Amino acid sequence: MTTPTLTADPAAPRPSARTTRSDAGTRTTLRDALSIAAVWFLLAAATTIVRPDFLSSQSLLAITFTMAISGVLSVAQGIVVIGGGLLDLSLPVALVVSAWATVTLLGAGIPDLIAVLCGIAAGGAWGLLNGLIIVYGKLNPIIVTLATGFGGLAIMMIGFKSAQIPSGSALRAFGLGQFLGLPNIFWPMLVIVVLAGLAIAWTRWGRRLTAVGGNPQAARARGVSLRRVRLATFSGAGAVAGIAGVLFASVTPSFTPNAGASYQLIVIAAVILAGISLSGGKGNFLVLLLSVGFLSTIPVSIAFFGLPPAFALIFQGALLIIAVGIDGFRIKRGAR
């Protein structure tokens, strides 16, 4: 009696390396999303045990209010990181530049829509400036944006000490309003996160962005202009930061030039915690939404625990260190 020998069918399709990497990336994204959601749930549960009144509409308003501006800025930072630009440390300054331009035009009697569009354009121009210096100067993005951030802050400190939005403007009324029980400014953030996620996954711009961020040499070999993509990356990120600036102006009756500094830590931590690798070329904005939500809950929980607000920065900083460590481990494991 003979035992039949099983042989592989040569005509059978074999999984490609690209498919394998895609499946691995999907599993990693799902794992990141579930991990963040689980820790977020544990934080909310622990806070509720200590203070049952944490589960209230006021807590939800506080969390979503923080998520709104931080979320939009995190999308801007995520675009830069996915595109291989490392980090843009000047985004908080871009936010204030946009807010300043918006309220200045409103104060001069310019219609709200035009003032808003000019504010967004100011953010885009800021990003374009960074992009031109980085691309044509062939300089490190972190050093350039750090320098332009300090320079922009110094110029604004010379230009004004405090800026105010006109109390009777439609933009101010929008900032004070609510829709479906949540702040009005939360909904533009949600739309931007979804649109950014779809654009990264399904558009030519998104494919080119991830290609340049993941492997610029291969992207160049396929005919992709690295200069154009990188200029568009920083300009687009600046425009998104400009939207954050407009939202910030709508909810802040008066602000100073360094008002955006408080967003730096939470934005960088949200991006890295969401698994958007500093090596570029990959990231998921829906996971980023979870990350922003979790980090925005920390200050509220800290308040309910009766701890000083500075403890929120300590926890967010610790999470950033952990996330960077995990990202570094993944990069090393992927290089093997």
Side-chain angles (χ1 to χ4, degrees):
M1 181 177 179
T2 60
T3 302
T5 304
L6 298 178
T7 59
D9 183 0
R14 298 180 179 179
S16 64
R18 182 176 181 179
T19 301
T20 303
R21 288 194 299 268
S22 177
D23 291 342
T26 301
R27 290 194 297 270
T28 300
T29 298
L30 181 59
R31 185 168 60 245
D32 289 340
L34 292 176
S35 299
I36 295 172
V39 177
W40 191 3
F41 173 79
L42 290 175
L43 175 63
T47 310
T48 303
I49 291 173
V50 175
R51 289 282 301 275
D53 56 334
F54 172 74
L55 295 180
S56 66
S57 59
Q58 293 302 315
S59 297
L60 183 61
L61 280 172
I63 293 170
T64 52
F65 186 87
T66 304
M67 285 180 66
I69 299 171
S70 300
V72 177
L73 269 186
S74 296
V75 169
Q77 192 69 268
I79 291 172
V80 172
V81 176
I82 292 175
L86 296 179
L87 289 169
D88 186 343
L89 299 181
S90 70
L91 287 178
V93 177
L95 175 145
V96 180
V97 167
S98 171
W100 182 26
T102 302
V103 301
T104 299
L105 292 175
L106 288 175
I110 302 298
D112 288 71
L113 179 59
I114 296 177
V116 166
L117 293 176
C118 288
I120 296 173
W126 179 271
L128 178 60
L129 173 64
N130 283 330
L132 289 171
I133 297 173
I134 292 166
V135 171
Y136 290 99
K138 298 180 179 180
L139 301 174
N140 185 296
I142 292 180
I143 301 301
V144 170
T145 56
L146 181 65
T148 57
F150 276 116
L153 178 60
I155 292 173
M156 286 192 294
M157 292 179 72
I158 295 173
F160 75 99
K161 293 183 179 180
S162 178
Q164 297 179 340
I165 184 172
S167 58
S169 66
L171 181 62
R172 178 60 175 162
F174 172 81
L176 293 175
Q178 296 180 15
F179 178 68
L180 297 179
L182 299 178
N184 280 341
I185 61 171
F186 174 81
W187 301 105
M189 180 277 294
L190 192 61
V191 170
I192 289 170
V193 170
V194 172
L195 290 180
L198 293 175
I200 291 292
W202 298 102
T203 67
R204 170 188 267 187
W205 169 80
R207 290 190 293 270
R208 288 186 172 183
L209 181 72
T210 54
V212 170
N215 193 331
Q217 290 74 26
R220 183 190 288 113
R222 294 205 304 266
V224 177
S225 172
L226 301 187
R227 285 184 173 180
R228 290 181 181 178
V229 172
R230 284 172 175 162
L231 283 174
T233 297
F234 282 94
S235 299
V240 175
I243 297 175
V246 171
L247 296 177
F248 175 79
S250 72
V251 298
T252 310
S254 178
F255 58 90
T256 60
N258 63 348
S262 60
Y263 292 101
Q264 188 76 280
L265 177 59
I266 188 173
V267 166
I268 296 176
V271 169
I272 307 303
L273 191 63
I276 300 179
S277 176
L278 288 174
S279 62
K282 53 187 175 182
N284 187 292
F285 283 107
L286 296 181
V287 181
L288 178 64
L289 181 62
L290 289 174
S291 179
V292 171
F294 167 57
L295 291 170
S296 298
T297 304
I298 291 177
V300 180
S301 294
I302 290 293
F304 274 91
F305 281 126
L307 298 174
F311 274 83
L313 298 177
I314 294 174
F315 284 112
Q316 290 170 348
L319 288 170
L320 175 58
I321 294 173
I322 294 172
V324 170
I326 294 173
D327 182 51
F329 172 75
R330 287 175 177 172
I331 293 173
K332 291 179 181 178
R333 185 177 60 180
R336 293 174 182 173

PDB file of all heavy atoms in Angstrom, residues 179-194:
ATOM      1  N   PHE A 179     -23.914  71.092  19.489  1.00  0.00           N
ATOM      2  CA  PHE A 179     -24.741  70.333  18.568  1.00  0.00           C
ATOM      3  C   PHE A 179     -24.770  68.889  19.042  1.00  0.00           C
ATOM      4  O   PHE A 179     -23.726  68.272  19.264  1.00  0.00           O
ATOM      5  CB  PHE A 179     -24.181  70.423  17.141  1.00  0.00           C
ATOM      6  CG  PHE A 179     -24.957  69.624  16.129  1.00  0.00           C
ATOM      7  CD1 PHE A 179     -26.242  70.002  15.781  1.00  0.00           C
ATOM      8  CD2 PHE A 179     -24.411  68.494  15.535  1.00  0.00           C
ATOM      9  CE1 PHE A 179     -26.975  69.272  14.858  1.00  0.00           C
ATOM     10  CE2 PHE A 179     -25.130  67.760  14.606  1.00  0.00           C
ATOM     11  CZ  PHE A 179     -26.417  68.154  14.265  1.00  0.00           C
ATOM     12  N   LEU A 180     -25.959  68.350  19.234  1.00  0.00           N
ATOM     13  CA  LEU A 180     -26.150  66.992  19.750  1.00  0.00           C
ATOM     14  C   LEU A 180     -25.455  66.794  21.098  1.00  0.00           C
ATOM     15  O   LEU A 180     -24.907  65.731  21.390  1.00  0.00           O
ATOM     16  CB  LEU A 180     -25.649  65.952  18.741  1.00  0.00           C
ATOM     17  CG  LEU A 180     -26.369  65.911  17.387  1.00  0.00           C
ATOM     18  CD1 LEU A 180     -25.741  64.842  16.489  1.00  0.00           C
ATOM     19  CD2 LEU A 180     -27.863  65.654  17.569  1.00  0.00           C
ATOM     20  N   GLY A 181     -25.450  67.857  21.895  1.00  0.00           N
ATOM     21  CA  GLY A 181     -24.884  67.763  23.234  1.00  0.00           C
ATOM     22  C   GLY A 181     -23.377  67.880  23.312  1.00  0.00           C
ATOM     23  O   GLY A 181     -22.805  67.769  24.399  1.00  0.00           O
ATOM     24  N   LEU A 182     -22.722  68.111  22.189  1.00  0.00           N
ATOM     25  CA  LEU A 182     -21.264  68.238  22.155  1.00  0.00           C
ATOM     26  C   LEU A 182     -20.889  69.609  21.602  1.00  0.00           C
ATOM     27  O   LEU A 182     -21.668  70.219  20.860  1.00  0.00           O
ATOM     28  CB  LEU A 182     -20.643  67.136  21.294  1.00  0.00           C
ATOM     29  CG  LEU A 182     -20.891  65.698  21.753  1.00  0.00           C
ATOM     30  CD1 LEU A 182     -20.256  64.719  20.764  1.00  0.00           C
ATOM     31  CD2 LEU A 182     -20.344  65.463  23.151  1.00  0.00           C
ATOM     32  N   PRO A 183     -19.696  70.119  21.936  1.00  0.00           N
ATOM     33  CA  PRO A 183     -19.295  71.433  21.431  1.00  0.00           C
ATOM     34  C   PRO A 183     -19.285  71.464  19.902  1.00  0.00           C
ATOM     35  O   PRO A 183     -18.929  70.480  19.248  1.00  0.00           O
ATOM     36  CB  PRO A 183     -17.869  71.607  21.990  1.00  0.00           C
ATOM     37  CG  PRO A 183     -17.781  70.669  23.141  1.00  0.00           C
ATOM     38  CD  PRO A 183     -18.665  69.507  22.805  1.00  0.00           C
ATOM     39  N   ASN A 184     -19.672  72.585  19.345  1.00  0.00           N
ATOM     40  CA  ASN A 184     -19.663  72.721  17.883  1.00  0.00           C
ATOM     41  C   ASN A 184     -18.291  72.414  17.287  1.00  0.00           C
ATOM     42  O   ASN A 184     -18.195  71.819  16.205  1.00  0.00           O
ATOM     43  CB  ASN A 184     -20.082  74.135  17.485  1.00  0.00           C
ATOM     44  CG  ASN A 184     -21.580  74.325  17.523  1.00  0.00           C
ATOM     45  OD1 ASN A 184     -22.347  73.359  17.503  1.00  0.00           O
ATOM     46  ND2 ASN A 184     -22.025  75.575  17.589  1.00  0.00           N
ATOM     47  N   ILE A 185     -17.233  72.820  17.993  1.00  0.00           N
ATOM     48  CA  ILE A 185     -15.895  72.652  17.427  1.00  0.00           C
ATOM     49  C   ILE A 185     -15.460  71.193  17.370  1.00  0.00           C
ATOM     50  O   ILE A 185     -14.472  70.865  16.697  1.00  0.00           O
ATOM     51  CB  ILE A 185     -14.840  73.469  18.212  1.00  0.00           C
ATOM     52  CG1 ILE A 185     -14.769  72.995  19.672  1.00  0.00           C
ATOM     53  CG2 ILE A 185     -15.137  74.953  18.125  1.00  0.00           C
ATOM     54  CD1 ILE A 185     -13.615  73.600  20.441  1.00  0.00           C
ATOM     55  N   PHE A 186     -16.176  70.294  18.051  1.00  0.00           N
ATOM     56  CA  PHE A 186     -15.838  68.873  18.002  1.00  0.00           C
ATOM     57  C   PHE A 186     -16.130  68.286  16.627  1.00  0.00           C
ATOM     58  O   PHE A 186     -15.373  67.445  16.127  1.00  0.00           O
ATOM     59  CB  PHE A 186     -16.629  68.108  19.070  1.00  0.00           C
ATOM     60  CG  PHE A 186     -16.459  66.622  19.008  1.00  0.00           C
ATOM     61  CD1 PHE A 186     -15.344  66.006  19.556  1.00  0.00           C
ATOM     62  CD2 PHE A 186     -17.415  65.819  18.384  1.00  0.00           C
ATOM     63  CE1 PHE A 186     -15.181  64.636  19.491  1.00  0.00           C
ATOM     64  CE2 PHE A 186     -17.270  64.449  18.323  1.00  0.00           C
ATOM     65  CZ  PHE A 186     -16.151  63.849  18.879  1.00  0.00           C
ATOM     66  N   TRP A 187     -17.193  68.718  15.997  1.00  0.00           N
ATOM     67  CA  TRP A 187     -17.630  68.099  14.743  1.00  0.00           C
ATOM     68  C   TRP A 187     -16.704  68.387  13.568  1.00  0.00           C
ATOM     69  O   TRP A 187     -16.438  67.467  12.774  1.00  0.00           O
ATOM     70  CB  TRP A 187     -19.069  68.519  14.445  1.00  0.00           C
ATOM     71  CG  TRP A 187     -19.996  68.110  15.549  1.00  0.00           C
ATOM     72  CD1 TRP A 187     -20.567  68.919  16.502  1.00  0.00           C
ATOM     73  CD2 TRP A 187     -20.420  66.786  15.864  1.00  0.00           C
ATOM     74  NE1 TRP A 187     -21.317  68.184  17.385  1.00  0.00           N
ATOM     75  CE2 TRP A 187     -21.253  66.865  17.012  1.00  0.00           C
ATOM     76  CE3 TRP A 187     -20.179  65.539  15.288  1.00  0.00           C
ATOM     77  CZ2 TRP A 187     -21.844  65.751  17.579  1.00  0.00           C
ATOM     78  CZ3 TRP A 187     -20.777  64.422  15.860  1.00  0.00           C
ATOM     79  CH2 TRP A 187     -21.592  64.525  16.986  1.00  0.00           C
ATOM     80  N   PRO A 188     -16.178  69.607  13.392  1.00  0.00           N
ATOM     81  CA  PRO A 188     -15.179  69.795  12.337  1.00  0.00           C
ATOM     82  C   PRO A 188     -13.951  68.906  12.524  1.00  0.00           C
ATOM     83  O   PRO A 188     -13.396  68.391  11.552  1.00  0.00           O
ATOM     84  CB  PRO A 188     -14.815  71.280  12.460  1.00  0.00           C
ATOM     85  CG  PRO A 188     -15.988  71.914  13.089  1.00  0.00           C
ATOM     86  CD  PRO A 188     -16.545  70.894  14.031  1.00  0.00           C
ATOM     87  N   MET A 189     -13.526  68.709  13.791  1.00  0.00           N
ATOM     88  CA  MET A 189     -12.397  67.827  14.052  1.00  0.00           C
ATOM     89  C   MET A 189     -12.699  66.412  13.585  1.00  0.00           C
ATOM     90  O   MET A 189     -11.874  65.756  12.934  1.00  0.00           O
ATOM     91  CB  MET A 189     -12.073  67.835  15.541  1.00  0.00           C
ATOM     92  CG  MET A 189     -10.901  66.951  15.969  1.00  0.00           C
ATOM     93  SD  MET A 189     -11.299  65.206  16.230  1.00  0.00           S
ATOM     94  CE  MET A 189     -12.392  65.333  17.657  1.00  0.00           C
ATOM     95  N   LEU A 190     -13.895  65.922  13.899  1.00  0.00           N
ATOM     96  CA  LEU A 190     -14.278  64.568  13.517  1.00  0.00           C
ATOM     97  C   LEU A 190     -14.282  64.418  11.994  1.00  0.00           C
ATOM     98  O   LEU A 190     -13.795  63.408  11.455  1.00  0.00           O
ATOM     99  CB  LEU A 190     -15.657  64.244  14.089  1.00  0.00           C
ATOM    100  CG  LEU A 190     -16.109  62.792  14.026  1.00  0.00           C
ATOM    101  CD1 LEU A 190     -15.158  61.897  14.814  1.00  0.00           C
ATOM    102  CD2 LEU A 190     -17.536  62.657  14.542  1.00  0.00           C
ATOM    103  N   VAL A 191     -14.808  65.415  11.305  1.00  0.00           N
ATOM    104  CA  VAL A 191     -14.835  65.380   9.837  1.00  0.00           C
ATOM    105  C   VAL A 191     -13.419  65.372   9.274  1.00  0.00           C
ATOM    106  O   VAL A 191     -13.102  64.615   8.337  1.00  0.00           O
ATOM    107  CB  VAL A 191     -15.630  66.593   9.290  1.00  0.00           C
ATOM    108  CG1 VAL A 191     -15.466  66.703   7.776  1.00  0.00           C
ATOM    109  CG2 VAL A 191     -17.103  66.468   9.654  1.00  0.00           C
ATOM    110  N   ILE A 192     -12.539  66.188   9.838  1.00  0.00           N
ATOM    111  CA  ILE A 192     -11.162  66.263   9.347  1.00  0.00           C
ATOM    112  C   ILE A 192     -10.432  64.942   9.562  1.00  0.00           C
ATOM    113  O   ILE A 192      -9.694  64.476   8.682  1.00  0.00           O
ATOM    114  CB  ILE A 192     -10.420  67.422  10.048  1.00  0.00           C
ATOM    115  CG1 ILE A 192     -10.958  68.756   9.551  1.00  0.00           C
ATOM    116  CG2 ILE A 192      -8.907  67.341   9.807  1.00  0.00           C
ATOM    117  CD1 ILE A 192     -10.461  69.943  10.342  1.00  0.00           C
ATOM    118  N   VAL A 193     -10.628  64.308  10.715  1.00  0.00           N
ATOM    119  CA  VAL A 193      -9.976  63.017  10.976  1.00  0.00           C
ATOM    120  C   VAL A 193     -10.439  61.975   9.962  1.00  0.00           C
ATOM    121  O   VAL A 193      -9.619  61.236   9.385  1.00  0.00           O
ATOM    122  CB  VAL A 193     -10.280  62.535  12.413  1.00  0.00           C
ATOM    123  CG1 VAL A 193      -9.820  61.091  12.599  1.00  0.00           C
ATOM    124  CG2 VAL A 193      -9.586  63.430  13.423  1.00  0.00           C
ATOM    125  N   VAL A 194     -11.744  61.912   9.712  1.00  0.00           N
ATOM    126  CA  VAL A 194     -12.277  60.923   8.769  1.00  0.00           C
ATOM    127  C   VAL A 194     -11.781  61.199   7.354  1.00  0.00           C
ATOM    128  O   VAL A 194     -11.338  60.286   6.637  1.00  0.00           O
ATOM    129  CB  VAL A 194     -13.820  60.918   8.816  1.00  0.00           C
ATOM    130  CG1 VAL A 194     -14.389  60.041   7.706  1.00  0.00           C
ATOM    131  CG2 VAL A 194     -14.305  60.427  10.173  1.00  0.00           C
TER     132      VAL A 194
END
